[in-house]
Amino acid sequence: MSWIILLLVLIIASVRTMNSKKPMSVSVIIPAYNEEKTVANVVGVVKSLNYVDEIIVVNDGSVDGTEQKALEAGATVLSHVKNQGKGAAIKTGFKNSKGEIVLFLDADLHKLMPKQVDKMIKPILNGESDVVKTKFKREAGRVTELTAKPLLNFFFPEIKFEQPLSGQFAAKRSFLKNIELEDDYGVDVGIVLDADVMGARVKEVDIGNISHTMSSLYELNIVATEVVRTIVDRANIYGRITMIDSLGRYIRMGVLGLSLTTLGFFFLFFIRIRPSYLALYLGFAIIIIGIIMAAYYIVKILRASIKTILRPDSKSRNLRSFFYMHSPLIVSALIMFAVLFTMLGSVHVDEGKISIEPAARNVIFWKQPVENQTIDIRGPYTVDSAIENESSIIRMPEDAMKTLELNYGDSIIIGDESYALRPPIDGEDSIMRIPYDARTTMGLNVGDVISDGELRNLFKDIYAEKKISLNTSNITATEGTIIKNTAKDAKIINLYLNNKKIGSTSGILKDGNYRIYVDGYLYKIITIDKDANQKTFLVTDGDDVIKIEVAGDVKSSNEFPTSDNGILFYFNF
């Protein structure tokens, strides 16, 4: 039994806690101008709602008994010395109110019922919306139908309220304090538009039959003028007017095309994505799409603009309008060309390839395919110290290896010391880890940044030994090479094993003596003489015969070392 009593106590406590939660405070603001006949009734209806915390009537320069009637009805009255407009009265009331929910009611409402006011406030009290506007049956709606709705459909087609100018609003203070309230009759539609653009939850509630004091045609003209001005102003502020005609659409799309082209260049040169070819292909795809789009719409712009400029009414005015409308396109084009010329200003043409290297990355185009690749993006690289216990290892990014035409597992000689080339550590795709002695010899410091175009200059005349890819497992072959920074006339050397071609390499081959090693020993020294007829050299090991054939011409940035600078080939059977 005791546990049942405990459960009941907990339930009662929970209910009391829920009921004890303080509801949001409510302020009602009633702008009034010469409304002595109806203002007291409106105040009385609002007072009948026990959750309303304050009622403020803003007497907007009335010359009748509006102020006295409102005071007698029990409202707090704030008065303007002269009539300033409905919006100004609402702003005065809002500034002097305290409620977390603020309801704006017209003072000229006839036969207003408490349940109608309740419908305006309860959706916010219940957490269903941030702003509540009303719709109701009435005899006239000329301003709404003839001015507000057509303009809203044109500039703000997403707004579908039946009565955007209902005049009765409730909203959270947190929303209202972040918008600019109009000083005149445009205040109602201004709240609707601001709420829509700011993403506030807006609910339109039907409050049934309600009627206002009928306005004269002159008064309706004033209301219509102020509503139109507010809608057009908001459309301008929120970007709904700028370039809405066909020419404007062409300009927007032309700007988009030029912007895409510029974005494509940035993808090529400044944005790092792995694998690197993804940025390459994506950049070129964006550039192509941008160029096609820009060209298509620029043609349309030129056609439309020529017609505009040649109109006879005012050529000077049309020219000013032309430059005003086209300034976004002109600026976008200038930015794109600035980027393009910056790229082209960094072009280096070498035999076999074209290299475009701005401050950030290096884009290489090969005139002759290199390993089935005709374009690549590389660099830059940051120098760092070697990992502990790796004093004879250089860790180098794959892009740098491609530029030096070396492979992982090869070795280079720096300052009489041999260093094995290894891949970078994961996450260090742009880091070159070089031991202290090698850095000192090369004149490098930790933190130095090396562009890809400078890499071969940095390693110029350094001797390396690299493995040759062979299509046989019977032997392995290593060649000596000296790194150069420019491509020169070179020779292709084919390798044959027992008259079957097993691989080839290329390099600058000068007249002179070259050393060939077999299984760790000097096998022979061959002599290259361009004027001599001998183009083949043989290396034998038992029944196996390797034929070295000096074949066709090619361009290369690597040079075969003569006997006093290194080895030509090193074969292991």
Side-chain angles (χ1 to χ4, degrees):
M1 179 67 70
S2 60
W3 67 269
I4 295 177
I5 295 174
L6 179 61
L7 181 61
L8 289 173
V9 170
L10 291 173
I11 293 174
I12 293 171
S14 299
V15 171
R16 286 180 176 176
T17 301
M18 293 174 61
N19 292 334
S20 65
K21 183 179 179 181
K22 185 179 179 181
M24 299 176 74
S25 57
V26 178
S27 297
V28 178
I29 297 170
I30 304 170
Y33 176 60
N34 295 335
E35 303 294 352
E36 63 179 2
K37 296 179 181 180
T38 55
V39 67
N41 178 65
V42 173
V43 172
V45 170
V46 174
K47 284 189 70 175
S48 67
L49 300 173
N50 58 12
Y51 55 79
V52 174
D53 296 278
E54 62 178 348
I55 304 171
I56 299 175
V57 172
V58 181
N59 174 35
D60 190 28
S62 300
V63 295
D64 63 359
T66 297
E67 181 177 4
Q68 186 63 31
K69 293 291 184 181
L71 286 170
E72 292 173 355
T76 300
V77 179
L78 304 173
S79 293
H80 291 165
V81 176
K82 62 179 181 179
N83 181 252
Q84 298 181 27
K86 179 182 178 180
I90 283 177
K91 289 167 75 172
T92 296
F94 178 67
K95 290 177 182 178
N96 291 276
S97 65
K98 299 178 181 178
E100 297 168 276
I101 299 173
V102 183
L103 170 65
F104 304 111
L105 282 178
D106 288 341
D108 65 343
L109 297 176
H110 299 273
K111 300 178 182 180
L112 180 67
M113 304 293 290
K115 65 179 181 180
Q116 292 175 311
V117 180
D118 198 55
K119 284 185 176 181
M120 303 178 203
I121 300 174
K122 280 298 178 67
I124 301 179
L125 279 174
N126 296 335
E128 299 171 12
S129 65
D130 303 308
V131 178
V132 173
K133 63 173 303 303
T134 59
K135 63 178 180 178
F136 44 84
K137 297 180 178 66
R138 60 181 178 183
E139 296 180 9
R142 288 167 285 179
V143 174
T144 297
E145 296 300 326
L146 298 178
T147 59
K149 281 190 174 180
L151 284 174
L152 289 174
N153 287 336
F154 188 73
F155 291 117
F156 299 91
E158 72 275 15
I159 294 179
K160 303 296 183 183
F161 297 126
E162 290 186 30
Q163 293 180 7
L165 305 182
S166 61
Q168 323 310 316
F169 277 91
K172 290 182 179 179
R173 177 173 293 275
S174 58
F175 162 72
L176 292 171
K177 70 181 182 181
N178 289 320
I179 66 173
E180 184 65 33
L181 296 171
E182 297 293 324
D183 287 332
D184 49 34
Y185 285 110
V187 64
D188 303 335
V189 72
I191 292 174
V192 171
L193 297 178
D194 290 338
D196 174 71
V197 173
M198 294 174 66
R201 296 174 299 165
V202 182
K203 186 172 184 178
E204 186 176 47
V205 297
D206 190 344
I207 60 173
N209 291 314
I210 199 171
S211 61
H212 290 263
T213 301
M214 292 294 291
S215 301
S216 66
L217 187 60
Y218 172 77
E219 292 170 327
L220 289 177
N221 179 59
I222 295 174
V223 173
T225 300
E226 293 171 352
V227 167
V228 168
R229 179 197 57 76
T230 300
I231 294 175
V232 173
D233 282 351
R234 289 298 195 281
N236 186 46
I237 291 171
Y238 295 132
R240 304 300 179 94
I241 290 181
T242 305
M243 298 189 295
I244 60 176
D245 60 351
S246 296
L247 177 58
R249 183 168 60 85
Y250 299 156
I251 291 173
R252 290 199 306 274
M253 298 307 293
V255 169
L256 177 60
L258 292 173
S259 300
L260 284 174
T261 304
T262 305
L263 178 62
F265 282 119
F266 271 89
F267 258 96
L268 283 181
F269 292 99
F270 301 102
I271 297 178
R272 290 187 174 277
I273 300 178
R274 288 292 177 182
S276 60
Y277 62 79
L278 182 60
L280 180 71
Y281 295 148
L282 185 59
F284 272 110
I286 294 174
I287 288 173
I288 291 170
I289 293 172
I291 289 175
I292 293 173
M293 181 181 295
Y296 176 77
Y297 284 102
I298 286 174
V299 170
K300 284 184 169 291
I301 291 168
L302 291 175
R303 289 177 177 175
S305 299
I306 290 172
K307 292 180 181 178
T308 301
I309 294 173
L310 296 180
R311 283 175 55 185
D313 49 357
S314 176
K315 289 188 177 181
S316 63
R317 184 189 67 196
N318 291 335
L319 282 171
R320 289 196 300 270
S321 176
F322 174 84
F323 285 110
Y324 176 77
M325 290 288 289
H326 290 62
S327 57
L329 187 71
I330 294 170
V331 171
S332 295
L334 290 174
I335 292 172
M336 186 201 73
F337 285 120
V339 173
L340 180 60
F341 290 142
T342 300
M343 304 301 109
L344 295 179
S346 304
V347 172
H348 302 282
V349 180
D350 200 353
E351 291 292 341
K353 67 182 179 183
I354 301 173
S355 177
I356 305 177
E357 184 180 4
R361 308 184 71 191
N362 190 24
V363 176
I364 299 171
F365 300 84
W366 279 275
K367 292 185 290 184
Q368 298 175 347
V370 177
E371 298 179 354
N372 299 319
Q373 188 174 17
T374 58
I375 186 169
D376 198 5
I377 302 177
R378 300 175 185 174
Y381 315 105
T382 302
V383 176
D384 205 340
S385 58
I387 300 173
E388 187 177 0
N389 299 324
E390 289 193 354
S391 59
S392 61
I393 291 175
I394 292 178
R395 292 191 176 273
M396 190 175 293
E398 183 179 1
D399 290 344
M401 298 291 290
K402 290 180 181 178
T403 298
L404 296 176
E405 299 178 24
L406 298 173
N407 299 298
Y408 295 126
D410 296 344
S411 61
I412 59 176
I413 309 300
I414 303 175
D416 297 327
E417 294 291 334
S418 177
Y419 297 91
L421 298 177
R422 296 287 186 269
I425 300 170
D426 290 341
E428 294 188 351
D429 292 339
S430 62
I431 302 295
M432 295 178 62
R433 290 194 172 274
I434 304 176
Y436 173 80
D437 290 342
R439 292 201 314 273
T440 301
T441 301
M442 299 174 71
L444 293 173
N445 297 301
V446 171
D448 287 351
V449 177
I450 305 169
S451 65
D452 194 82
E454 286 297 316
L455 198 59
R456 294 193 74 95
N457 288 331
L458 182 67
F459 283 83
K460 180 184 177 183
D461 295 330
I462 287 180
Y463 172 75
E465 292 184 353
K466 63 178 185 177
K467 293 180 173 59
I468 302 173
S469 177
L470 302 177
N471 57 7
T472 180
S473 59
N474 293 335
I475 65 170
T476 60
T478 300
E479 67 173 291
T481 185
I482 298 175
I483 299 170
K484 297 295 182 180
N485 61 346
T486 57
K488 296 181 179 180
D489 292 335
K491 290 291 185 180
I492 297 173
I493 296 182
N494 295 322
L495 300 177
Y496 297 83
L497 177 62
N498 300 327
N499 292 320
K500 179 181 178 181
K501 186 176 179 181
I502 58 174
S504 64
T505 184
S506 63
I508 302 168
L509 194 63
K510 298 180 177 180
D511 288 346
N513 297 322
Y514 293 85
R515 291 185 290 169
I516 298 175
Y517 280 73
V518 175
D519 294 334
Y521 296 97
L522 177 62
Y523 178 82
K524 67 165 53 174
I525 295 177
I526 63 174
T527 300
I528 301 296
D529 186 350
K530 294 178 182 178
D531 296 328
N533 293 325
Q534 187 176 6
K535 301 296 181 183
T536 61
F537 305 91
L538 300 180
V539 174
T540 60
D541 184 75
D543 295 332
D544 293 323
V545 178
I546 296 176
K547 181 172 70 173
I548 303 170
E549 177 188 54
V550 179
D553 297 326
V554 72
K555 296 288 184 179
S556 178
S557 299
N558 286 348
E559 180 181 301
F560 290 119
T562 55
S563 58
D564 54 343
N565 293 315
I567 65 167
L568 177 60
F569 293 120
Y570 191 125
F571 297 108
N572 274 328
F573 285 85

